[in-house]
Amino acid sequence: MASESSNESMSFRECVDRMVDRAIVASGLDPSTAKIIQACNVVSQIKFPVRIRGNVEIFTGWWAIHSNHRLPAKGGLRYAAIVNQDEVEALAALMSYKCALADVPFGGAKGGLLINPANYTEAELREITHTFGIELARKEYLSPSLSVPAPDMGTSSREMVWIADAYKSMFPEDVNQSACVTGKPLNRGGIQGRTEATGKGVQYALREFFHHPDELEAAGITDGLNGQRVIIQGLGKVGYHTAKFLSEEDDVKVIGVIERDGAVTNPDGLNIHNLRQHLAETHGVKGFSGGDYTENGAQVLEMECDILIPAALESQIHANNAMAIKAKLIVEAANGPVTYEADEILRHRGVTILPDIYVNAGGVTVSYFEWTRNLSHMRFGRLQRRYDELRGQTYLHSLEQLTEKAAPEGLRNDIVRGASELDLVRSGLDDTMRTAFQDMREVIKHNENIHDFRTAAYAVAIAKIAQSYYDLGLVDPATKA
Ligand code: GLU
């Protein structure tokens, strides 16, 4: 992604640990519980051979389970040309805190496979994924009850089907086999709304933030969401859906998009649909007719705007560019886009940051709905949809009789309609994002040591995880703070 790399001495995992340390100190958690919470329980490196075009290639992957205070452990599986154990551990830790904050009853996990998917055909990728899936299942890193992967960078519903097939080939008798991964296509046990869930969650997070005049004032934002000037880094799954929902439904102006080959800007707002199409066809943003192109994506990160949404890789805002960021609000749609040092700089500069473990929790939240649906073997809403319609009709009929007026057609449809699976998923996601935001606000209100959303988010998460360890009797309650 177009950004100078940071010269920071701290690794990604150390950055996450330091941020969590800050919350641990601020919330007065006892050191022994803190140690248990922060330790990554398991991390495995897996090497496996696959025959590619007549030659054997050895692939390297990792699976990390940061916490299993709740099971299964949950997290995405990333395919990337640069991925390592430190990164996978950091991402697994973020998953633990994210699930706890969003009240998703899972532990945190993450996987990575060192691969450049562009170098392989679809059939080869299928073979590689199938073999990796078998290896994961053999080690119980793929199991509906213990450890459940999902899409992440470089993977999608396609890879999830291949992984589910690998599991099925090993455990054909498992009646819950489809719950071994989430993010599956609809016809293979997936759920409506999962593909765009993270982007939808980012939109709900922003909407919730904009519902609070005191937060807007503190961030130095004067108007509503409508018309805000946004710059987005990354137009992949998360960035694209975020940009699409915000521009189409909230009239936000996406004035800049940063991608691998540079950035495009347009002060009147970019057409996200057209830009995405251009990106799919040319693999870059260069040559897009709806905006001005620059090769220097890093510069666009520092451009004047109201809201900056990093939705690509980690460590994109670092000690070297944090002073130059002009946005009033940073919304972390990616995992770990702001380093620890940059976070310190930005906080001191008074820039408001909505943190990753809150902002991008939509993906795992809807994964939780999918997993639950798979275990119940039934689509959400199947039992009550028609019943709700019937009740709506009765209600409408009584209303019309009492008022002696016919309801207008639009209102009639709204009252009568039973909720579809997508309606229920969206409502559950919206509720999750709102509740988590309220939880962070409560912490800021009641803990005089906590003033920013990141520390508040971690404080909420660690308090919940700590409680589950106290409940399990893993920590002597006498040591409780
Ligand atoms: N990869 C997503 C994340 O980082 C989703 C994980 C999941 O659904 O389990 O949150």
Side-chain angles (χ1 to χ4, degrees), residues 182-201:
T182 58
K184 300 175 292 286
L186 289 180
N187 61 352
R188 295 293 301 267
I191 193 167
Q192 296 275 356
R194 175 61 186 85
T195 311
E196 68 278 23
T198 312
K200 203 62 196 155

Side-chain angles (χ1 to χ4, degrees), residues 74-76 95 98 110 148 150-152 182 194 335 360 363-364 367:
K74 190 84 187 74
M95 286 308 302
K98 193 186 300 186
K110 200 81 177 195
V148 179
D152 200 82
T182 58
R194 175 61 186 85
N335 287 309
N360 72 33
V364 76
S367 275

Side-chain angles (χ1 to χ4, degrees), residues 106-428:
F106 292 150
K110 200 81 177 195
L113 181 66
L114 201 53
I115 187 171
N116 181 354
N119 294 344
Y120 299 91
T121 64
E122 180 157 345
E124 288 163 354
L125 283 172
R126 187 184 176 286
E127 185 61 26
I128 296 162
T129 305
H130 185 86
T131 314
F132 193 26
I134 297 276
E135 291 300 320
L136 290 172
R138 230 183 239 147
K139 296 182 166 59
E140 296 189 334
Y141 297 149
L142 175 64
S143 148
S145 54
L146 299 175
S147 180
V148 179
D152 200 82
M153 199 176 290
T155 56
S156 66
S157 57
R158 182 182 72 166
E159 285 73 17
M160 297 307 115
V161 172
W162 295 337
I163 291 177
D165 280 342
Y167 181 84
K168 188 174 163 191
S169 71
M170 285 180 75
F171 304 102
E173 75 295 346
D174 185 347
V175 68
N176 292 321
Q177 54 182 254
S178 67
C180 74
V181 285
T182 58
K184 300 175 292 286
L186 289 180
N187 61 352
R188 295 293 301 267
I191 193 167
Q192 296 275 356
R194 175 61 186 85
T195 311
E196 68 278 23
T198 312
K200 203 62 196 155
V202 179
Q203 179 190 31
Y204 288 152
L206 255 174
R207 281 185 182 174
E208 186 55 29
F209 177 81
F210 272 82
H211 279 151
H212 299 274
D214 55 332
E215 302 296 357
L216 295 178
E217 198 188 321
I221 294 173
T222 41
D223 301 314
L225 188 51
N226 177 322
Q228 295 291 331
R229 296 163 310 149
V230 172
I231 293 178
I232 300 195
Q233 186 192 37
L235 210 62
K237 282 190 295 266
V238 178
Y240 165 65
H241 286 114
T242 301
K244 178 177 148 67
F245 290 133
L246 288 176
S247 57
E248 289 177 4
E249 297 172 10
D250 295 311
D251 283 330
V252 152
K253 250 193 234 174
V254 181
I255 60 165
V257 166
I258 307 159
E259 258 294 329
R260 283 191 185 81
D261 65 329
V264 278
T265 56
N266 183 339
D268 297 324
L270 294 155
N271 182 314
I272 298 303
H273 174 80
N274 294 350
L275 181 57
R276 170 76 166 193
Q277 213 155 3
H278 179 85
L279 192 63
E281 282 160 14
T282 68
H283 304 290
V285 289
K286 189 176 178 176
F288 179 60
S289 56
D292 294 328
Y293 171 76
T294 165
E295 218 173 62
N296 192 347
Q299 211 170 50
V300 175
L301 211 57
E302 299 168 9
M303 219 173 85
E304 184 75 41
C305 69
D306 301 306
I307 305 171
L308 177 62
I309 308 185
L313 288 170
E314 53 263 15
S315 311
Q316 295 299 297
I317 302 173
H318 40 74
N320 300 338
N321 63 4
M323 281 306 288
I325 299 294
K326 302 199 182 47
K328 300 181 190 96
L329 174 65
I330 298 178
V331 178
E332 296 184 343
N335 287 309
V338 175
T339 66
Y340 176 78
E341 286 180 38
D343 188 57
E344 292 276 305
I345 296 170
L346 290 161
R347 264 182 328 123
H348 288 119
R349 283 187 48 211
V351 177
T352 302
I353 302 180
L354 292 182
D356 47 5
I357 63 163
Y358 169 59
V359 171
N360 72 33
V364 76
T365 300
V366 178
S367 275
Y368 169 45
F369 301 156
E370 178 177 335
W371 182 78
T372 316
R373 177 203 208 265
N374 294 151
L375 295 189
S376 74
H377 299 266
M378 202 195 285
R379 159 171 59 81
F380 287 116
R382 179 165 175 182
L383 291 184
Q384 73 267 37
R385 187 170 178 182
R386 297 298 160 208
Y387 180 75
D388 285 346
E389 270 186 22
L390 217 65
R391 281 186 71 132
Q393 268 161 6
T394 314
Y395 178 67
L396 184 73
H397 190 64
S398 325
L399 212 78
E400 288 182 329
Q401 271 194 334
L402 284 168
T403 58
E404 291 178 0
K405 276 187 190 146
E409 207 46 42
L411 186 65
R412 172 177 290 266
N413 289 342
D414 283 350
I415 294 177
V416 165
R417 202 170 70 91
S420 68
E421 184 173 74
L422 185 61
D423 292 328
L424 294 170
V425 164
R426 293 265 163 95
S427 127

